[in-house]
Amino acid sequence: MDLCGRSQRGALREASRKQASPRRWSRVNGWSWPLHTFQAVAWTMLFILAFASFGIFVPLLPPNWNLVIYGVTGGLFCFHFVVHLLAISINPAETNIRLKNYSEPVPTFDPSKHTHVIENQYCHLCEVTVNKKAKHCRACNKCVSDFDHHCKWLNNCVGGRNYRYFFCSLVSDSASLLCLITILLYIFIQYFVNPEVLRTHPLYEDVSKDTWLLFLPLFPVKTKTLVVLGIGVFVLLLSALSLLLLGHLLIFHLFLMFKKLSTYEYVTQNRCQKTPRVPAGRKELSFKISTPQRAVQGDPAAAKVSGSVSHHRHVPGELPAAGSHG
C-alpha cells in the first residue's frame, strides 16, 4: 500500500486541474528570463555590503591590520563572487536535455493521459529518458539531474552539476558576513573606548574630531559622526539578518549531507510521515443472522432456517499504486 504516493498523485492531479498550463519554453540557467526579484535583491545586498566594507569600515582599522583584513575579506568576496556566478550560470539539466534545442517549445502536460510527468524514468514533457533522481522542475520547465531544489535567490535549479558551487557560495558568504560583523563590532567598541585608534590615517591630521573620512585612501569624502554611525548600524543589522538566514540554510544542508539526502527527498519524506497511515490488509466483518421462517403450507411444525450474511468493508487507500512518482 502506497498511501503517501496516492495522496501526492491526488494533489498533483488537483493542482493540474486548477493551475493554468505551464510555460512552453525551458529556461537554460539563472540568467534566462524571467529574472526573479530575489535574484536582484541578492546581487544588490552583495554589492552594498562589499562597498561598505571596503570603502568605509576596513580603512578605519589600524594600519598593521589593513593589509591582512583586505586580503581575507577580499579573498572571500572574490571566491564567493566566482562560485555564485557558476551556480547561476551552469545548466543543471539532464545530459539528454542539454543536447536538445532550447528554442523548441515543450509540450503541455496532459493529466488525462499520464499520471505523472515522469513515469518509468521517461519524461513526457522533455520527451527523453532520465535517471532515477531526476525531477521535472515546474519553474525551469525541464528535468534536472540529481534534483535538489529550485533556488529563487539564484533563479536556477540546484542539481548534481552545480550543487557544489551552491554550497561553496553558502560557506563563503557566511564567512564574509561573519568577518564584516566582527569588523563592525570592533569599530563600535573602539569608537566608545578610544576613537583615536580609528583615525590613524595621515589625512585625519587636517580635519576636526567630529569629522570622518569615507572611501580612504583613494577618494576621501568628509562626513559627520552620525552619518558613519548610522551607516554602521544599518550594515550591522543587514549583515546579522543575512547571516542568520544563510547560517540556518548552511546548517540545514550540512544536516542533509550527514543524512545523505537531497532537499527534495527530505521534504518528500516529511510529507509522507505526516500523512495518516491506514493499517495494511483488508478487514472482513462477518456475522450470522438467524430469522424465523413461517411454517410452510402443509407442515404444522415451525421451521427455522439459519442464514449467514457476510459483509465486506473496503478500507480506503488499499488499492495498489500505479505508475512511478515524478
PDB file of all heavy atoms in Angstrom, residues 178-193:
ATOM      1  N   LEU A 178      30.429  37.019   8.586  1.00  0.00           N
ATOM      2  CA  LEU A 178      30.990  36.906   9.930  1.00  0.00           C
ATOM      3  C   LEU A 178      32.186  37.844  10.094  1.00  0.00           C
ATOM      4  O   LEU A 178      32.334  38.504  11.136  1.00  0.00           O
ATOM      5  CB  LEU A 178      31.404  35.459  10.185  1.00  0.00           C
ATOM      6  CG  LEU A 178      31.840  35.116  11.613  1.00  0.00           C
ATOM      7  CD1 LEU A 178      30.714  35.395  12.605  1.00  0.00           C
ATOM      8  CD2 LEU A 178      32.258  33.656  11.698  1.00  0.00           C
ATOM      9  N   CYS A 179      33.039  37.950   9.080  1.00  0.00           N
ATOM     10  CA  CYS A 179      34.171  38.885   9.127  1.00  0.00           C
ATOM     11  C   CYS A 179      33.694  40.328   9.206  1.00  0.00           C
ATOM     12  O   CYS A 179      34.225  41.135   9.980  1.00  0.00           O
ATOM     13  CB  CYS A 179      35.057  38.696   7.902  1.00  0.00           C
ATOM     14  SG  CYS A 179      36.048  37.198   7.915  1.00  0.00           S
ATOM     15  N   LEU A 180      32.696  40.677   8.407  1.00  0.00           N
ATOM     16  CA  LEU A 180      32.185  42.050   8.408  1.00  0.00           C
ATOM     17  C   LEU A 180      31.561  42.410   9.753  1.00  0.00           C
ATOM     18  O   LEU A 180      31.760  43.523  10.261  1.00  0.00           O
ATOM     19  CB  LEU A 180      31.160  42.211   7.282  1.00  0.00           C
ATOM     20  CG  LEU A 180      30.522  43.602   7.146  1.00  0.00           C
ATOM     21  CD1 LEU A 180      31.585  44.684   6.976  1.00  0.00           C
ATOM     22  CD2 LEU A 180      29.537  43.619   5.978  1.00  0.00           C
ATOM     23  N   ILE A 181      30.812  41.497  10.334  1.00  0.00           N
ATOM     24  CA  ILE A 181      30.210  41.765  11.658  1.00  0.00           C
ATOM     25  C   ILE A 181      31.303  41.942  12.708  1.00  0.00           C
ATOM     26  O   ILE A 181      31.204  42.823  13.579  1.00  0.00           O
ATOM     27  CB  ILE A 181      29.258  40.614  12.032  1.00  0.00           C
ATOM     28  CG1 ILE A 181      28.034  40.631  11.121  1.00  0.00           C
ATOM     29  CG2 ILE A 181      28.835  40.712  13.493  1.00  0.00           C
ATOM     30  CD1 ILE A 181      27.102  39.458  11.320  1.00  0.00           C
ATOM     31  N   THR A 182      32.351  41.140  12.657  1.00  0.00           N
ATOM     32  CA  THR A 182      33.466  41.281  13.600  1.00  0.00           C
ATOM     33  C   THR A 182      34.141  42.638  13.455  1.00  0.00           C
ATOM     34  O   THR A 182      34.468  43.310  14.459  1.00  0.00           O
ATOM     35  CB  THR A 182      34.492  40.157  13.371  1.00  0.00           C
ATOM     36  OG1 THR A 182      33.840  38.896  13.486  1.00  0.00           O
ATOM     37  CG2 THR A 182      35.613  40.241  14.397  1.00  0.00           C
ATOM     38  N   ILE A 183      34.358  43.082  12.216  1.00  0.00           N
ATOM     39  CA  ILE A 183      34.966  44.394  11.970  1.00  0.00           C
ATOM     40  C   ILE A 183      34.092  45.507  12.526  1.00  0.00           C
ATOM     41  O   ILE A 183      34.581  46.446  13.181  1.00  0.00           O
ATOM     42  CB  ILE A 183      35.209  44.582  10.460  1.00  0.00           C
ATOM     43  CG1 ILE A 183      36.296  43.622   9.971  1.00  0.00           C
ATOM     44  CG2 ILE A 183      35.609  46.021  10.150  1.00  0.00           C
ATOM     45  CD1 ILE A 183      36.438  43.584   8.460  1.00  0.00           C
ATOM     46  N   LEU A 184      32.786  45.419  12.270  1.00  0.00           N
ATOM     47  CA  LEU A 184      31.869  46.460  12.757  1.00  0.00           C
ATOM     48  C   LEU A 184      31.828  46.511  14.281  1.00  0.00           C
ATOM     49  O   LEU A 184      31.811  47.603  14.877  1.00  0.00           O
ATOM     50  CB  LEU A 184      30.475  46.214  12.186  1.00  0.00           C
ATOM     51  CG  LEU A 184      30.308  46.494  10.690  1.00  0.00           C
ATOM     52  CD1 LEU A 184      28.964  45.986  10.207  1.00  0.00           C
ATOM     53  CD2 LEU A 184      30.459  47.977  10.403  1.00  0.00           C
ATOM     54  N   LEU A 185      31.788  45.356  14.923  1.00  0.00           N
ATOM     55  CA  LEU A 185      31.783  45.344  16.389  1.00  0.00           C
ATOM     56  C   LEU A 185      33.070  45.950  16.947  1.00  0.00           C
ATOM     57  O   LEU A 185      33.037  46.699  17.938  1.00  0.00           O
ATOM     58  CB  LEU A 185      31.601  43.906  16.890  1.00  0.00           C
ATOM     59  CG  LEU A 185      30.225  43.279  16.628  1.00  0.00           C
ATOM     60  CD1 LEU A 185      30.201  41.835  17.106  1.00  0.00           C
ATOM     61  CD2 LEU A 185      29.130  44.085  17.324  1.00  0.00           C
ATOM     62  N   TYR A 186      34.191  45.657  16.330  1.00  0.00           N
ATOM     63  CA  TYR A 186      35.467  46.242  16.771  1.00  0.00           C
ATOM     64  C   TYR A 186      35.444  47.761  16.620  1.00  0.00           C
ATOM     65  O   TYR A 186      35.884  48.495  17.523  1.00  0.00           O
ATOM     66  CB  TYR A 186      36.623  45.654  15.971  1.00  0.00           C
ATOM     67  CG  TYR A 186      37.944  46.327  16.226  1.00  0.00           C
ATOM     68  CD1 TYR A 186      38.721  45.978  17.338  1.00  0.00           C
ATOM     69  CD2 TYR A 186      38.418  47.324  15.370  1.00  0.00           C
ATOM     70  CE1 TYR A 186      39.927  46.608  17.586  1.00  0.00           C
ATOM     71  CE2 TYR A 186      39.627  47.956  15.604  1.00  0.00           C
ATOM     72  CZ  TYR A 186      40.373  47.596  16.713  1.00  0.00           C
ATOM     73  OH  TYR A 186      41.567  48.238  16.963  1.00  0.00           O
ATOM     74  N   ILE A 187      34.911  48.254  15.498  1.00  0.00           N
ATOM     75  CA  ILE A 187      34.865  49.703  15.268  1.00  0.00           C
ATOM     76  C   ILE A 187      33.960  50.383  16.287  1.00  0.00           C
ATOM     77  O   ILE A 187      34.309  51.442  16.836  1.00  0.00           O
ATOM     78  CB  ILE A 187      34.393  49.983  13.831  1.00  0.00           C
ATOM     79  CG1 ILE A 187      35.491  49.577  12.839  1.00  0.00           C
ATOM     80  CG2 ILE A 187      34.037  51.449  13.649  1.00  0.00           C
ATOM     81  CD1 ILE A 187      35.074  49.696  11.389  1.00  0.00           C
ATOM     82  N   PHE A 188      32.795  49.797  16.578  1.00  0.00           N
ATOM     83  CA  PHE A 188      31.891  50.402  17.557  1.00  0.00           C
ATOM     84  C   PHE A 188      32.520  50.432  18.946  1.00  0.00           C
ATOM     85  O   PHE A 188      32.400  51.420  19.682  1.00  0.00           O
ATOM     86  CB  PHE A 188      30.563  49.635  17.585  1.00  0.00           C
ATOM     87  CG  PHE A 188      29.618  50.022  16.489  1.00  0.00           C
ATOM     88  CD1 PHE A 188      29.203  49.098  15.542  1.00  0.00           C
ATOM     89  CD2 PHE A 188      29.136  51.313  16.393  1.00  0.00           C
ATOM     90  CE1 PHE A 188      28.342  49.449  14.524  1.00  0.00           C
ATOM     91  CE2 PHE A 188      28.269  51.690  15.386  1.00  0.00           C
ATOM     92  CZ  PHE A 188      27.875  50.750  14.443  1.00  0.00           C
ATOM     93  N   ILE A 189      33.178  49.342  19.317  1.00  0.00           N
ATOM     94  CA  ILE A 189      33.819  49.296  20.630  1.00  0.00           C
ATOM     95  C   ILE A 189      34.921  50.342  20.735  1.00  0.00           C
ATOM     96  O   ILE A 189      35.023  51.090  21.723  1.00  0.00           O
ATOM     97  CB  ILE A 189      34.365  47.883  20.908  1.00  0.00           C
ATOM     98  CG1 ILE A 189      33.214  46.891  21.069  1.00  0.00           C
ATOM     99  CG2 ILE A 189      35.235  47.874  22.174  1.00  0.00           C
ATOM    100  CD1 ILE A 189      33.653  45.443  21.167  1.00  0.00           C
ATOM    101  N   GLN A 190      35.760  50.425  19.722  1.00  0.00           N
ATOM    102  CA  GLN A 190      36.844  51.406  19.740  1.00  0.00           C
ATOM    103  C   GLN A 190      36.333  52.838  19.685  1.00  0.00           C
ATOM    104  O   GLN A 190      36.963  53.748  20.256  1.00  0.00           O
ATOM    105  CB  GLN A 190      37.795  51.153  18.563  1.00  0.00           C
ATOM    106  CG  GLN A 190      38.652  49.907  18.706  1.00  0.00           C
ATOM    107  CD  GLN A 190      39.579  50.001  19.908  1.00  0.00           C
ATOM    108  OE1 GLN A 190      39.989  51.065  20.339  1.00  0.00           O
ATOM    109  NE2 GLN A 190      39.909  48.832  20.462  1.00  0.00           N
ATOM    110  N   TYR A 191      35.216  53.066  19.041  1.00  0.00           N
ATOM    111  CA  TYR A 191      34.660  54.418  18.988  1.00  0.00           C
ATOM    112  C   TYR A 191      34.285  54.917  20.378  1.00  0.00           C
ATOM    113  O   TYR A 191      34.493  56.093  20.712  1.00  0.00           O
ATOM    114  CB  TYR A 191      33.441  54.455  18.071  1.00  0.00           C
ATOM    115  CG  TYR A 191      32.726  55.782  18.078  1.00  0.00           C
ATOM    116  CD1 TYR A 191      33.241  56.868  17.373  1.00  0.00           C
ATOM    117  CD2 TYR A 191      31.562  55.963  18.818  1.00  0.00           C
ATOM    118  CE1 TYR A 191      32.588  58.098  17.398  1.00  0.00           C
ATOM    119  CE2 TYR A 191      30.909  57.185  18.841  1.00  0.00           C
ATOM    120  CZ  TYR A 191      31.439  58.245  18.126  1.00  0.00           C
ATOM    121  OH  TYR A 191      30.800  59.463  18.154  1.00  0.00           O
ATOM    122  N   PHE A 192      33.733  54.031  21.197  1.00  0.00           N
ATOM    123  CA  PHE A 192      33.335  54.440  22.539  1.00  0.00           C
ATOM    124  C   PHE A 192      34.497  54.360  23.527  1.00  0.00           C
ATOM    125  O   PHE A 192      34.481  55.042  24.556  1.00  0.00           O
ATOM    126  CB  PHE A 192      32.176  53.574  23.031  1.00  0.00           C
ATOM    127  CG  PHE A 192      30.894  53.830  22.295  1.00  0.00           C
ATOM    128  CD1 PHE A 192      30.419  52.933  21.350  1.00  0.00           C
ATOM    129  CD2 PHE A 192      30.158  54.977  22.545  1.00  0.00           C
ATOM    130  CE1 PHE A 192      29.243  53.165  20.666  1.00  0.00           C
ATOM    131  CE2 PHE A 192      28.973  55.222  21.866  1.00  0.00           C
ATOM    132  CZ  PHE A 192      28.511  54.324  20.924  1.00  0.00           C
ATOM    133  N   VAL A 193      35.491  53.521  23.247  1.00  0.00           N
ATOM    134  CA  VAL A 193      36.631  53.376  24.161  1.00  0.00           C
ATOM    135  C   VAL A 193      37.741  54.350  23.811  1.00  0.00           C
ATOM    136  O   VAL A 193      38.203  55.143  24.659  1.00  0.00           O
ATOM    137  CB  VAL A 193      37.163  51.925  24.149  1.00  0.00           C
ATOM    138  CG1 VAL A 193      38.431  51.813  24.995  1.00  0.00           C
ATOM    139  CG2 VAL A 193      36.096  50.970  24.657  1.00  0.00           C
TER     140      VAL A 193
END
